[in-house]
Amino acid sequence: MNADDDGVTRWRRVADRIRAGIADGSVGERLAPEMDLAEEYGVNRHTVRRAIQALAAEGLVRAERGRGTFVNAPAPRISYPVGARTRFSENLAATGRRPVGHLIRASAARADAAVAGLLECETGAPLHRLETLHVASGLPLSVSTCFFPAARFPGIVRSYAETGSITEALKLEGLADYRRRETRITAERVHPADAEHLAAPADSLVLVSTAVDVDPGDRPVQAMRTRFPADRMELVFRP
């Protein structure tokens, strides 16, 4: 097994193969010892251990001291309401989870035709682009690419880095409230970079939400593309 296989790190590939080998009826079964798995997949024990840690973080397996690693029952999907006031922190807090937003990276950008159409700005207009990871109670739930008009929100990158919340960041930028104008949902195979952030299988499906938020005057303030692991999340639309 190569150290990097189609852009997927070795431990991630091992985790995917272990996951694929877990059948629907294997709840409660014990995995083979680390040494046996290392020999089977042609890697060292450290690689197997890291793969199992990733599977444990997903809730797929659990380690019991002195007994081994056992297969858990699949966790139920988390319901995420989508409506006129879609807010990651508020939605997840309502389920009893502790939501946290992390800034992966930020950069200056120019609006291409698609984003310009969503933000109702000129093609080539200066924007701030934020890549964010959203986690609740330690479980990665979504990755987003967000665009904001640079002239209107010059400090949005710093504000998000400080607060970990788009809502709070926009408040610091002078916008007290906003609403969702539209949300469009598609599905696709996960991108390798997203799989890494989401601790998701390399061949898994993600739900893709393309959305526009507007201020009380119906002026677009944010265009975003959010990817949700399809085996972890369900999007619930309410009037």
Side-chain angles (χ1 to χ4, degrees):
M1 184 181 296
N2 295 327
D4 191 286
D5 187 357
D6 296 331
V8 180
T9 54
R10 181 178 295 186
W11 68 267
R12 176 72 59 200
R13 181 64 65 185
V14 171
D16 290 344
R17 292 181 66 181
I18 293 174
R19 186 188 295 102
I22 296 176
D24 292 339
S26 60
V27 173
E29 290 186 2
R30 185 171 62 184
L31 295 184
E34 289 180 359
M35 186 64 75
D36 293 352
L37 291 172
E39 183 177 350
E40 178 180 354
Y41 298 128
V43 298
N44 58 41
R45 290 183 65 179
H46 175 75
T47 300
V48 170
R49 188 172 296 119
R50 189 174 180 191
I52 290 175
Q53 288 172 347
L55 296 175
E58 296 176 26
L60 185 62
V61 301
R62 68 185 185 281
E64 297 185 7
R65 185 178 296 275
R67 297 190 63 218
T69 302
F70 295 83
V71 179
N72 285 331
R77 285 183 173 85
I78 297 171
S79 295
Y80 185 81
V82 178
R85 296 186 57 81
T86 299
R87 304 286 191 270
F88 174 79
S89 296
E90 294 176 14
N91 288 353
L92 272 298
T95 69
R97 294 172 174 83
R98 294 189 302 106
V100 179
H102 301 285
L103 180 63
I104 300 172
R105 69 180 63 86
S107 61
R110 296 283 177 176
D112 61 18
V115 174
L118 295 174
L119 290 177
E120 298 177 359
C121 64
E122 295 291 332
T123 301
L127 307 173
H128 287 301
R129 171 180 172 141
L130 282 68
E131 296 283 344
T132 61
L133 170 66
H134 311 113
V135 178
S137 299
L139 182 66
L141 297 180
S142 66
V143 175
S144 293
T145 304
C146 311
F147 294 94
F148 299 88
R152 185 174 182 185
F153 305 111
I156 192 69
V157 175
R158 180 183 64 254
S159 296
Y160 183 82
E162 291 176 358
T163 64
S165 164
I166 292 296
T167 300
E168 296 305 315
L170 287 172
K171 285 181 180 178
L172 290 178
E173 292 296 294
L175 182 64
D177 194 20
Y178 62 95
R179 66 176 176 83
R180 179 63 51 88
R181 173 188 280 177
E182 70 173 29
T183 303
R184 301 185 182 213
I185 304 296
T186 57
E188 62 186 40
R189 294 289 178 186
V190 69
H191 186 277
D194 287 347
E196 188 74 18
H197 290 301
L198 294 170
D203 62 347
S204 63
L205 288 174
V206 289
L207 303 175
V208 181
S209 164
T210 301
V212 179
D213 288 334
V214 296
D215 65 17
D218 203 40
R219 183 182 176 188
V221 298
Q222 175 185 199
M224 76 203 81
R225 186 175 185 271
T226 303
R227 287 82 74 195
F228 300 89
D231 62 344
R232 255 173 253 170
M233 302 289 289
E234 62 178 12
L235 307 183
V236 181
F237 288 80
R238 295 171 179 165

